[in-house]
Amino acid sequence: MTLLFEPITIRNVTFKNRLIVSPMCQYSSIDGFANEWHLVHLGSRAVGGAGLVFTEATAVTPEGRISPDDLGIWKNEHIPFLKKIAGFIQQHGAIAGIQLAHAGRKASTPSPWKGRKPLTGEAGGWQTLAPSALPYKDYPAPREMSPGDIQQLIKDFAGAAQRAVEAGFQVFEIHAAHGYLINEFLSPLSNHRTDQYGGTLDNRWRLLLEIVHAIRNVIGEAAPLFVRISCTEWVEGGWDLSDSVQLATILKENQVDVIDCSSGGNSPQQKIDVGPLYQVPFSEKIKKETGILTGAVGMITNALQCENILRAQKADFIIMARQLLREPYFPLHAAKELGADVPWPVQYERAKIK
Ligand SMILES: Cc1cc2nc3c(=O)[nH]c(=O)nc-3n(C[C@H](O)[C@H](O)[C@H](O)COP(=O)(O)O)c2cc1C
């Protein structure tokens, strides 16, 4: 039996395997609405056999979008199409997950698609928010969030989670990585606040903990809660792996189930050693030192790598992005390669590789 295809249960949710579709922005929404693109894109990966399919970063407020074309869940009108998508994913045996996000000082950029105008015709350009008025690169300066803004943000995350529950999502991930708003609070490089949300580690992760509590309150005890973090920001004097180990310990005590172990994105000074499996050691260390479940992500591209990571107990989940864009049926092929007999969609049975 392969570990990659061994089911795992967290709270009341059983995943049929350990392969997760990583959140991936599609820049294909107007006014935050999901549409046929998202249904086909996410649906194909469920049909392809992944155990859990995450939506892209889904903005909890309009200002929290990276670009005007981002997916959102800040109003009730967003629920029906998302419900259709979550339902389709589940009909095909996968778990439907949603990543809840606010882009902070990295919001409000034009759509990154070369040669294509933003779907909305907007170019971004709204006032961004951040812990401190420190711009990222040459981006416009954000406005420092007031205590009132922070309380509102926590309510916005809770409201978004409530809508996600109504849309039928079963797993919830807080995006606290890649230099977006929550990551900006965690890092001493982007958080220069002198109130209870800045300074010591305890203060810098206060916002994340308050969001964790607000979301848990809405999703209930039965639903798994993931947090994606940047385990290091790859800058001398910045957030590092030992900070992440401490944070993971606290998150575990606060009913977070899984740490999704990514890195970088908060500083243009970052020096990243990119290569196959380059972020796996972060997952390994956090798992070993805290005992929390972890997901490894980043340049994992073949079945044997996945299996070896799990066997060496370096992670509990494999989270995959670009390989699943290249090959939506990767999980079905990986099962064959690893000798697991998994069902194919009935519509495709006649093509099953025996
Ligand atoms: C097209 C694209 C969009 C992405 N959007 C998101 C996102 O919405 N949220 C997020 O946390 N990471 C995002 N990422 C990062 C991926 O989830 C993943 O962490 C990264 O690509 C490394 O994994 P890979 O080597 O398997 O691609 C994106 C990556 C790609 C390629």
Side-chain angles (χ1 to χ4, degrees), residues 276-340:
L277 315 185
Y278 74 109
Q279 293 177 146
V280 174
F282 306 145
S283 162
E284 179 180 13
K285 175 126 174 142
I286 290 173
K287 180 174 165 57
K288 289 223 163 89
E289 298 215 357
T290 70
I292 196 166
L293 300 174
T294 61
V297 63
M299 296 190 74
I300 305 171
T301 50
N302 69 56
L304 265 184
Q305 288 172 342
C306 299
E307 187 65 19
N308 289 339
I309 291 167
L310 298 174
R311 286 207 178 275
Q313 298 186 22
K314 293 179 178 174
D316 302 279
F317 289 98
I318 303 297
I319 306 174
M320 201 176 255
R322 288 165 292 180
Q323 184 59 24
L324 285 170
L325 292 188
R326 295 178 199 112
E327 206 189 338
Y329 302 110
F330 172 85
L332 296 178
H333 297 153
K336 164 78 179 143
E337 191 178 331
L338 297 172

Short mmCIF file of all heavy atoms in Angstrom, two decimals, residues 276-340:
data_model
loop_
_atom_site.label_atom_id
_atom_site.label_comp_id
_atom_site.label_asym_id
_atom_site.label_seq_id
_atom_site.Cartn_x
_atom_site.Cartn_y
_atom_site.Cartn_z
N PRO A 276 14.31 21.38 -6.80
CA PRO A 276 13.33 20.35 -6.46
C PRO A 276 13.25 20.15 -4.94
O PRO A 276 14.28 20.11 -4.26
CB PRO A 276 13.88 19.10 -7.15
CG PRO A 276 14.66 19.64 -8.31
CD PRO A 276 15.25 20.93 -7.83
N LEU A 277 12.05 20.10 -4.42
CA LEU A 277 11.77 19.79 -3.00
C LEU A 277 12.34 20.82 -2.02
O LEU A 277 12.50 20.54 -0.84
CB LEU A 277 12.33 18.40 -2.62
CG LEU A 277 12.09 17.24 -3.57
CD1 LEU A 277 12.61 15.94 -2.94
CD2 LEU A 277 10.63 17.08 -3.90
N TYR A 278 12.62 22.04 -2.50
CA TYR A 278 13.41 22.97 -1.66
C TYR A 278 12.71 23.40 -0.39
O TYR A 278 13.38 23.86 0.54
CB TYR A 278 13.84 24.18 -2.48
CG TYR A 278 12.75 25.19 -2.80
CD1 TYR A 278 12.73 26.44 -2.20
CD2 TYR A 278 11.74 24.89 -3.71
CE1 TYR A 278 11.74 27.36 -2.48
CE2 TYR A 278 10.75 25.81 -4.00
CZ TYR A 278 10.75 27.04 -3.39
OH TYR A 278 9.77 27.94 -3.67
N GLN A 279 11.38 23.26 -0.33
CA GLN A 279 10.70 23.69 0.91
C GLN A 279 10.35 22.51 1.83
O GLN A 279 9.83 22.73 2.94
CB GLN A 279 9.42 24.48 0.56
CG GLN A 279 9.75 25.81 -0.09
CD GLN A 279 8.56 26.63 -0.54
OE1 GLN A 279 8.61 27.83 -0.48
NE2 GLN A 279 7.50 26.01 -1.03
N VAL A 280 10.66 21.30 1.38
CA VAL A 280 10.31 20.12 2.20
C VAL A 280 10.97 20.16 3.58
O VAL A 280 10.34 19.80 4.58
CB VAL A 280 10.64 18.81 1.43
CG1 VAL A 280 10.43 17.59 2.31
CG2 VAL A 280 9.81 18.72 0.16
N PRO A 281 12.25 20.61 3.68
CA PRO A 281 12.86 20.64 5.03
C PRO A 281 12.07 21.50 6.04
O PRO A 281 12.13 21.24 7.24
CB PRO A 281 14.25 21.25 4.78
CG PRO A 281 14.54 20.94 3.34
CD PRO A 281 13.21 20.99 2.64
N PHE A 282 11.35 22.50 5.56
CA PHE A 282 10.55 23.32 6.48
C PHE A 282 9.41 22.49 7.07
O PHE A 282 9.14 22.52 8.27
CB PHE A 282 9.97 24.56 5.76
CG PHE A 282 11.01 25.40 5.07
CD1 PHE A 282 10.71 26.04 3.87
CD2 PHE A 282 12.27 25.54 5.60
CE1 PHE A 282 11.66 26.82 3.23
CE2 PHE A 282 13.24 26.32 4.96
CZ PHE A 282 12.93 26.96 3.77
N SER A 283 8.76 21.77 6.19
CA SER A 283 7.65 20.90 6.63
C SER A 283 8.18 19.86 7.61
O SER A 283 7.58 19.60 8.67
CB SER A 283 7.03 20.25 5.40
OG SER A 283 6.27 19.14 5.75
N GLU A 284 9.33 19.28 7.27
CA GLU A 284 9.91 18.23 8.11
C GLU A 284 10.19 18.75 9.53
O GLU A 284 9.82 18.14 10.53
CB GLU A 284 11.21 17.73 7.47
CG GLU A 284 11.91 16.66 8.28
CD GLU A 284 13.20 16.18 7.64
OE1 GLU A 284 13.71 16.84 6.70
OE2 GLU A 284 13.72 15.14 8.09
N LYS A 285 10.83 19.92 9.59
CA LYS A 285 11.22 20.46 10.90
C LYS A 285 9.98 20.81 11.73
O LYS A 285 9.90 20.51 12.93
CB LYS A 285 12.08 21.71 10.67
CG LYS A 285 12.45 22.43 11.91
CD LYS A 285 13.95 22.62 12.00
CE LYS A 285 14.27 23.49 13.21
NZ LYS A 285 15.46 23.08 13.89
N ILE A 286 9.00 21.45 11.09
CA ILE A 286 7.80 21.86 11.84
C ILE A 286 7.04 20.63 12.33
O ILE A 286 6.60 20.57 13.48
CB ILE A 286 6.92 22.78 10.96
CG1 ILE A 286 7.64 24.13 10.78
CG2 ILE A 286 5.53 22.96 11.55
CD1 ILE A 286 6.99 25.09 9.83
N LYS A 287 6.95 19.62 11.47
CA LYS A 287 6.26 18.38 11.87
C LYS A 287 6.99 17.71 13.04
O LYS A 287 6.37 17.35 14.05
CB LYS A 287 6.20 17.45 10.65
CG LYS A 287 5.52 16.13 10.90
CD LYS A 287 5.37 15.35 9.60
CE LYS A 287 5.02 13.90 9.89
NZ LYS A 287 3.81 13.76 10.70
N LYS A 288 8.30 17.57 12.90
CA LYS A 288 9.08 16.87 13.93
C LYS A 288 9.05 17.61 15.27
O LYS A 288 8.92 17.02 16.32
CB LYS A 288 10.54 16.71 13.49
CG LYS A 288 10.69 15.70 12.37
CD LYS A 288 11.89 14.76 12.54
CE LYS A 288 11.72 13.54 11.64
NZ LYS A 288 12.29 13.73 10.29
N GLU A 289 9.19 18.93 15.20
CA GLU A 289 9.35 19.69 16.46
C GLU A 289 8.03 20.00 17.16
O GLU A 289 8.03 20.29 18.35
CB GLU A 289 10.14 20.97 16.20
CG GLU A 289 11.53 20.63 15.70
CD GLU A 289 12.61 21.58 16.17
OE1 GLU A 289 12.31 22.56 16.85
OE2 GLU A 289 13.77 21.30 15.82
N THR A 290 6.94 19.98 16.42
CA THR A 290 5.67 20.38 17.05
C THR A 290 4.63 19.27 17.07
O THR A 290 3.67 19.35 17.83
CB THR A 290 5.04 21.59 16.32
OG1 THR A 290 4.57 21.13 15.04
CG2 THR A 290 6.02 22.71 16.11
N GLY A 291 4.80 18.29 16.18
CA GLY A 291 3.81 17.21 16.11
C GLY A 291 2.55 17.59 15.35
O GLY A 291 1.62 16.79 15.23
N ILE A 292 2.50 18.81 14.82
CA ILE A 292 1.30 19.18 14.03
C ILE A 292 1.40 18.52 12.65
O ILE A 292 2.49 18.20 12.18
CB ILE A 292 1.18 20.73 13.92
CG1 ILE A 292 -0.23 21.13 13.48
CG2 ILE A 292 2.23 21.31 12.97
CD1 ILE A 292 -0.54 22.62 13.67
N LEU A 293 0.25 18.30 12.02
CA LEU A 293 0.26 17.78 10.65
C LEU A 293 0.77 18.87 9.72
O LEU A 293 0.47 20.06 9.93
CB LEU A 293 -1.15 17.37 10.21
CG LEU A 293 -1.84 16.29 11.03
CD1 LEU A 293 -3.29 16.11 10.54
CD2 LEU A 293 -1.10 14.96 10.92
N THR A 294 1.55 18.47 8.70
CA THR A 294 2.06 19.47 7.76
C THR A 294 1.83 19.04 6.31
O THR A 294 1.67 17.86 6.02
CB THR A 294 3.59 19.69 7.93
OG1 THR A 294 4.26 18.46 7.67
CG2 THR A 294 3.94 20.22 9.30
N GLY A 295 1.87 20.04 5.45
CA GLY A 295 1.85 19.80 4.01
C GLY A 295 3.13 20.36 3.42
O GLY A 295 3.56 21.46 3.78
N ALA A 296 3.77 19.57 2.54
CA ALA A 296 4.97 20.04 1.85
C ALA A 296 4.56 20.53 0.47
O ALA A 296 3.74 19.90 -0.21
CB ALA A 296 5.98 18.91 1.72
N VAL A 297 5.15 21.65 0.04
CA VAL A 297 4.81 22.24 -1.26
C VAL A 297 6.07 22.82 -1.89
O VAL A 297 6.99 23.21 -1.18
CB VAL A 297 3.71 23.32 -1.11
CG1 VAL A 297 4.17 24.50 -0.27
CG2 VAL A 297 3.20 23.81 -2.46
N GLY A 298 6.09 22.88 -3.21
CA GLY A 298 7.17 23.55 -3.90
C GLY A 298 8.06 22.62 -4.69
O GLY A 298 8.83 21.86 -4.13
N MET A 299 7.89 22.64 -6.02
CA MET A 299 8.72 21.86 -6.93
C MET A 299 8.73 20.36 -6.61
O MET A 299 9.77 19.72 -6.62
CB MET A 299 10.12 22.44 -7.02
CG MET A 299 10.05 23.84 -7.62
SD MET A 299 11.63 24.54 -8.05
CE MET A 299 12.03 23.63 -9.52
N ILE A 300 7.55 19.87 -6.29
CA ILE A 300 7.34 18.43 -6.15
C ILE A 300 6.62 18.02 -7.43
O ILE A 300 5.54 18.55 -7.72
CB ILE A 300 6.49 18.10 -4.91
CG1 ILE A 300 7.13 18.70 -3.65
CG2 ILE A 300 6.32 16.58 -4.76
CD1 ILE A 300 6.27 18.62 -2.40
N THR A 301 7.22 17.14 -8.21
CA THR A 301 6.68 16.92 -9.55
C THR A 301 6.45 15.46 -9.93
O THR A 301 5.91 15.19 -11.00
CB THR A 301 7.64 17.52 -10.60
OG1 THR A 301 8.96 17.05 -10.33
CG2 THR A 301 7.62 19.04 -10.58
N ASN A 302 6.89 14.50 -9.10
CA ASN A 302 6.63 13.12 -9.51
C ASN A 302 6.20 12.23 -8.35
O ASN A 302 6.35 12.60 -7.18
CB ASN A 302 7.82 12.52 -10.29
CG ASN A 302 9.04 12.31 -9.42
OD1 ASN A 302 8.97 11.62 -8.39
ND2 ASN A 302 10.17 12.89 -9.80
N ALA A 303 5.67 11.08 -8.71
CA ALA A 303 5.02 10.20 -7.74
C ALA A 303 6.00 9.69 -6.68
O ALA A 303 5.67 9.62 -5.48
CB ALA A 303 4.38 9.02 -8.46
N LEU A 304 7.21 9.34 -7.12
CA LEU A 304 8.18 8.80 -6.15
C LEU A 304 8.60 9.84 -5.12
O LEU A 304 8.75 9.53 -3.94
CB LEU A 304 9.43 8.30 -6.89
CG LEU A 304 9.44 6.82 -7.22
CD1 LEU A 304 10.78 6.43 -7.87
CD2 LEU A 304 9.17 5.94 -5.99
N GLN A 305 8.76 11.08 -5.58
CA GLN A 305 9.08 12.16 -4.63
C GLN A 305 7.99 12.24 -3.56
O GLN A 305 8.26 12.33 -2.36
CB GLN A 305 9.17 13.51 -5.35
CG GLN A 305 10.39 13.69 -6.22
CD GLN A 305 10.29 14.99 -7.03
OE1 GLN A 305 9.21 15.56 -7.21
NE2 GLN A 305 11.42 15.42 -7.54
N CYS A 306 6.75 12.22 -4.02
CA CYS A 306 5.61 12.32 -3.08
C CYS A 306 5.69 11.20 -2.05
O CYS A 306 5.60 11.43 -0.83
CB CYS A 306 4.28 12.20 -3.81
SG CYS A 306 3.97 13.45 -5.03
N GLU A 307 5.84 9.99 -2.55
CA GLU A 307 5.83 8.81 -1.68
C GLU A 307 6.99 8.85 -0.68
O GLU A 307 6.82 8.57 0.51
CB GLU A 307 5.90 7.55 -2.57
CG GLU A 307 5.73 6.24 -1.85
CD GLU A 307 4.34 6.04 -1.23
OE1 GLU A 307 3.38 6.73 -1.62
OE2 GLU A 307 4.25 5.19 -0.33
N ASN A 308 8.16 9.25 -1.18
CA ASN A 308 9.35 9.28 -0.31
C ASN A 308 9.22 10.33 0.79
O ASN A 308 9.64 10.11 1.93
CB ASN A 308 10.62 9.53 -1.13
CG ASN A 308 10.96 8.31 -1.97
OD1 ASN A 308 10.52 7.20 -1.67
ND2 ASN A 308 11.72 8.51 -3.04
N ILE A 309 8.64 11.46 0.46
CA ILE A 309 8.44 12.52 1.47
C ILE A 309 7.55 12.00 2.60
O ILE A 309 7.83 12.17 3.79
CB ILE A 309 7.81 13.78 0.82
CG1 ILE A 309 8.80 14.45 -0.13
CG2 ILE A 309 7.32 14.76 1.88
CD1 ILE A 309 8.16 15.49 -1.04
N LEU A 310 6.49 11.30 2.21
CA LEU A 310 5.55 10.78 3.22
C LEU A 310 6.19 9.66 4.03
O LEU A 310 6.07 9.61 5.26
CB LEU A 310 4.27 10.29 2.55
CG LEU A 310 3.46 11.37 1.79
CD1 LEU A 310 2.30 10.72 1.05
CD2 LEU A 310 2.94 12.44 2.74
N ARG A 311 6.90 8.76 3.34
CA ARG A 311 7.53 7.62 4.04
C ARG A 311 8.59 8.10 5.04
O ARG A 311 8.75 7.51 6.11
CB ARG A 311 8.19 6.66 3.04
CG ARG A 311 7.19 5.85 2.30
CD ARG A 311 7.70 4.52 1.81
NE ARG A 311 6.59 3.86 1.15
CZ ARG A 311 5.66 3.13 1.78
NH1 ARG A 311 5.74 2.92 3.07
NH2 ARG A 311 4.66 2.60 1.11
N ALA A 312 9.30 9.15 4.67
CA ALA A 312 10.34 9.69 5.57
C ALA A 312 9.73 10.58 6.65
O ALA A 312 10.45 11.22 7.41
CB ALA A 312 11.37 10.46 4.76
N GLN A 313 8.41 10.63 6.68
CA GLN A 313 7.67 11.44 7.66
C GLN A 313 8.09 12.90 7.65
O GLN A 313 8.21 13.54 8.69
CB GLN A 313 7.83 10.83 9.06
CG GLN A 313 7.25 9.44 9.10
CD GLN A 313 7.25 8.86 10.51
OE1 GLN A 313 7.31 9.58 11.49
NE2 GLN A 313 7.18 7.55 10.59
N LYS A 314 8.30 13.40 6.44
CA LYS A 314 8.64 14.82 6.31
C LYS A 314 7.39 15.67 6.11
O LYS A 314 7.45 16.89 6.12
CB LYS A 314 9.59 15.00 5.12
CG LYS A 314 10.95 14.35 5.37
CD LYS A 314 11.88 14.51 4.18
CE LYS A 314 13.24 13.88 4.48
NZ LYS A 314 14.13 13.90 3.31
N ALA A 315 6.26 15.02 5.87
CA ALA A 315 4.98 15.72 5.69
C ALA A 315 3.86 14.70 5.78
O ALA A 315 4.08 13.49 5.65
CB ALA A 315 4.94 16.41 4.33
N ASP A 316 2.64 15.21 5.97
CA ASP A 316 1.44 14.36 5.97
C ASP A 316 0.65 14.51 4.68
O ASP A 316 -0.17 13.67 4.34
CB ASP A 316 0.56 14.74 7.17
CG ASP A 316 1.33 14.60 8.47
OD1 ASP A 316 1.44 13.46 8.96
OD2 ASP A 316 1.90 15.61 8.95
N PHE A 317 0.88 15.63 4.00
CA PHE A 317 0.22 15.90 2.72
C PHE A 317 1.24 16.40 1.70
O PHE A 317 2.22 17.05 2.08
CB PHE A 317 -0.84 17.01 2.87
CG PHE A 317 -2.06 16.61 3.64
CD1 PHE A 317 -2.18 16.92 4.99
CD2 PHE A 317 -3.10 15.92 3.02
CE1 PHE A 317 -3.32 16.56 5.71
CE2 PHE A 317 -4.24 15.55 3.73
CZ PHE A 317 -4.34 15.87 5.08
N ILE A 318 0.96 16.12 0.44
CA ILE A 318 1.74 16.70 -0.66
C ILE A 318 0.84 17.73 -1.34
O ILE A 318 -0.28 17.41 -1.77
CB ILE A 318 2.14 15.62 -1.70
CG1 ILE A 318 2.92 14.49 -1.03
CG2 ILE A 318 2.91 16.26 -2.85
CD1 ILE A 318 4.24 14.86 -0.41
N ILE A 319 1.33 18.95 -1.39
CA ILE A 319 0.55 20.04 -1.96
C ILE A 319 1.23 20.44 -3.27
O ILE A 319 2.42 20.76 -3.28
CB ILE A 319 0.46 21.23 -0.98
CG1 ILE A 319 -0.06 20.74 0.38
CG2 ILE A 319 -0.42 22.33 -1.55
CD1 ILE A 319 -0.06 21.78 1.48
N MET A 320 0.48 20.37 -4.36
CA MET A 320 1.10 20.49 -5.67
C MET A 320 0.39 21.57 -6.48
O MET A 320 -0.84 21.62 -6.49
CB MET A 320 0.94 19.13 -6.35
CG MET A 320 1.89 18.87 -7.46
SD MET A 320 1.61 17.19 -8.05
CE MET A 320 3.01 16.35 -7.37
N ALA A 321 1.16 22.39 -7.16
CA ALA A 321 0.55 23.45 -7.97
C ALA A 321 0.82 23.22 -9.46
O ALA A 321 0.01 22.62 -10.16
CB ALA A 321 1.06 24.82 -7.51
N ARG A 322 2.01 23.65 -9.94
CA ARG A 322 2.22 23.67 -11.40
C ARG A 322 2.15 22.31 -12.07
O ARG A 322 1.65 22.19 -13.18
CB ARG A 322 3.55 24.37 -11.70
CG ARG A 322 3.46 25.87 -11.47
CD ARG A 322 4.81 26.52 -11.41
NE ARG A 322 5.54 26.10 -10.21
CZ ARG A 322 6.76 26.53 -9.89
NH1 ARG A 322 7.38 27.37 -10.69
NH2 ARG A 322 7.35 26.12 -8.78
N GLN A 323 2.60 21.25 -11.37
CA GLN A 323 2.53 19.93 -12.01
C GLN A 323 1.07 19.55 -12.29
O GLN A 323 0.78 18.88 -13.28
CB GLN A 323 3.22 18.88 -11.13
CG GLN A 323 3.28 17.49 -11.73
CD GLN A 323 4.02 17.44 -13.07
OE1 GLN A 323 4.87 18.29 -13.35
NE2 GLN A 323 3.69 16.47 -13.89
N LEU A 324 0.18 20.02 -11.44
CA LEU A 324 -1.25 19.71 -11.64
C LEU A 324 -1.88 20.61 -12.70
O LEU A 324 -2.97 20.32 -13.18
CB LEU A 324 -2.00 19.78 -10.32
CG LEU A 324 -1.76 18.58 -9.39
CD1 LEU A 324 -2.35 18.84 -8.01
CD2 LEU A 324 -2.33 17.29 -9.98
N LEU A 325 -1.20 21.72 -13.03
CA LEU A 325 -1.68 22.49 -14.20
C LEU A 325 -1.24 21.78 -15.47
O LEU A 325 -2.00 21.69 -16.45
CB LEU A 325 -1.09 23.91 -14.20
CG LEU A 325 -1.55 24.86 -13.11
CD1 LEU A 325 -1.01 26.27 -13.37
CD2 LEU A 325 -3.06 24.91 -12.98
N ARG A 326 -0.01 21.25 -15.43
CA ARG A 326 0.48 20.53 -16.62
C ARG A 326 -0.32 19.26 -16.83
O ARG A 326 -0.62 18.86 -17.94
CB ARG A 326 1.95 20.13 -16.42
CG ARG A 326 2.88 21.28 -16.33
CD ARG A 326 4.32 20.77 -16.08
NE ARG A 326 5.11 21.86 -15.56
CZ ARG A 326 5.60 21.93 -14.32
NH1 ARG A 326 5.46 20.93 -13.48
NH2 ARG A 326 6.26 22.99 -13.95
N GLU A 327 -0.65 18.62 -15.73
CA GLU A 327 -1.19 17.26 -15.81
C GLU A 327 -2.30 17.07 -14.77
O GLU A 327 -2.06 16.56 -13.68
CB GLU A 327 -0.03 16.29 -15.50
CG GLU A 327 -0.20 14.95 -16.12
CD GLU A 327 0.84 13.94 -15.63
OE1 GLU A 327 1.92 14.31 -15.14
OE2 GLU A 327 0.52 12.74 -15.72
N PRO A 328 -3.54 17.46 -15.13
CA PRO A 328 -4.63 17.38 -14.14
C PRO A 328 -4.89 15.95 -13.65
O PRO A 328 -5.41 15.75 -12.56
CB PRO A 328 -5.85 17.91 -14.88
CG PRO A 328 -5.37 18.44 -16.18
CD PRO A 328 -3.95 18.06 -16.39
N TYR A 329 -4.50 14.96 -14.47
CA TYR A 329 -4.74 13.55 -14.09
C TYR A 329 -3.54 12.94 -13.39
O TYR A 329 -3.47 11.72 -13.24
CB TYR A 329 -5.13 12.73 -15.32
CG TYR A 329 -6.35 13.29 -16.01
CD1 TYR A 329 -6.27 13.91 -17.24
CD2 TYR A 329 -7.59 13.24 -15.38
CE1 TYR A 329 -7.38 14.47 -17.83
CE2 TYR A 329 -8.70 13.80 -15.95
CZ TYR A 329 -8.60 14.42 -17.18
OH TYR A 329 -9.70 14.97 -17.76
N PHE A 330 -2.61 13.81 -12.95
CA PHE A 330 -1.41 13.31 -12.27
C PHE A 330 -1.75 12.30 -11.16
O PHE A 330 -1.11 11.25 -11.06
CB PHE A 330 -0.58 14.48 -11.71
CG PHE A 330 0.55 14.05 -10.84
CD1 PHE A 330 1.77 13.69 -11.39
CD2 PHE A 330 0.39 13.97 -9.45
CE1 PHE A 330 2.81 13.27 -10.58
CE2 PHE A 330 1.43 13.54 -8.64
CZ PHE A 330 2.64 13.19 -9.21
N PRO A 331 -2.76 12.56 -10.31
CA PRO A 331 -3.03 11.60 -9.22
C PRO A 331 -3.39 10.20 -9.76
O PRO A 331 -2.92 9.19 -9.20
CB PRO A 331 -4.21 12.23 -8.46
CG PRO A 331 -4.08 13.70 -8.74
CD PRO A 331 -3.58 13.78 -10.16
N LEU A 332 -4.16 10.13 -10.83
CA LEU A 332 -4.52 8.82 -11.38
C LEU A 332 -3.28 8.10 -11.91
O LEU A 332 -3.10 6.90 -11.73
CB LEU A 332 -5.56 8.97 -12.50
CG LEU A 332 -6.92 9.55 -12.08
CD1 LEU A 332 -7.85 9.70 -13.29
CD2 LEU A 332 -7.58 8.68 -11.00
N HIS A 333 -2.40 8.86 -12.56
CA HIS A 333 -1.17 8.26 -13.09
C HIS A 333 -0.22 7.87 -11.95
O HIS A 333 0.44 6.82 -12.01
CB HIS A 333 -0.48 9.23 -14.05
CG HIS A 333 -1.31 9.54 -15.25
ND1 HIS A 333 -1.22 10.71 -15.97
CD2 HIS A 333 -2.29 8.83 -15.86
CE1 HIS A 333 -2.09 10.70 -16.95
NE2 HIS A 333 -2.76 9.57 -16.90
N ALA A 334 -0.16 8.70 -10.91
CA ALA A 334 0.72 8.41 -9.77
C ALA A 334 0.25 7.13 -9.07
O ALA A 334 1.07 6.30 -8.65
CB ALA A 334 0.72 9.57 -8.79
N ALA A 335 -1.05 6.94 -9.00
CA ALA A 335 -1.59 5.73 -8.37
C ALA A 335 -1.12 4.50 -9.13
O ALA A 335 -0.65 3.51 -8.53
CB ALA A 335 -3.11 5.79 -8.33
N LYS A 336 -1.20 4.57 -10.42
CA LYS A 336 -0.77 3.44 -11.26
C LYS A 336 0.72 3.16 -11.01
O LYS A 336 1.13 2.03 -10.78
CB LYS A 336 -1.05 3.80 -12.72
CG LYS A 336 -0.35 2.95 -13.74
CD LYS A 336 -1.03 1.62 -13.91
CE LYS A 336 -0.31 0.79 -14.96
NZ LYS A 336 -0.29 -0.60 -14.65
N GLU A 337 1.51 4.24 -11.02
CA GLU A 337 2.96 4.09 -10.85
C GLU A 337 3.31 3.49 -9.49
O GLU A 337 4.24 2.69 -9.37
CB GLU A 337 3.62 5.46 -11.02
CG GLU A 337 5.13 5.39 -11.12
CD GLU A 337 5.75 6.77 -11.32
OE1 GLU A 337 5.09 7.67 -11.91
OE2 GLU A 337 6.91 6.95 -10.87
N LEU A 338 2.53 3.86 -8.47
CA LEU A 338 2.86 3.39 -7.11
C LEU A 338 2.13 2.09 -6.76
O LEU A 338 2.25 1.58 -5.64
CB LEU A 338 2.52 4.48 -6.09
CG LEU A 338 3.32 5.79 -6.23
CD1 LEU A 338 2.78 6.87 -5.30
CD2 LEU A 338 4.80 5.57 -5.96
N GLY A 339 1.34 1.58 -7.69
CA GLY A 339 0.68 0.29 -7.47
C GLY A 339 -0.59 0.37 -6.65
O GLY A 339 -1.01 -0.63 -6.05
N ALA A 340 -1.23 1.54 -6.61
CA ALA A 340 -2.50 1.65 -5.88
C ALA A 340 -3.65 1.54 -6.90
O ALA A 340 -3.60 2.17 -7.96
CB ALA A 340 -2.58 2.99 -5.16
#
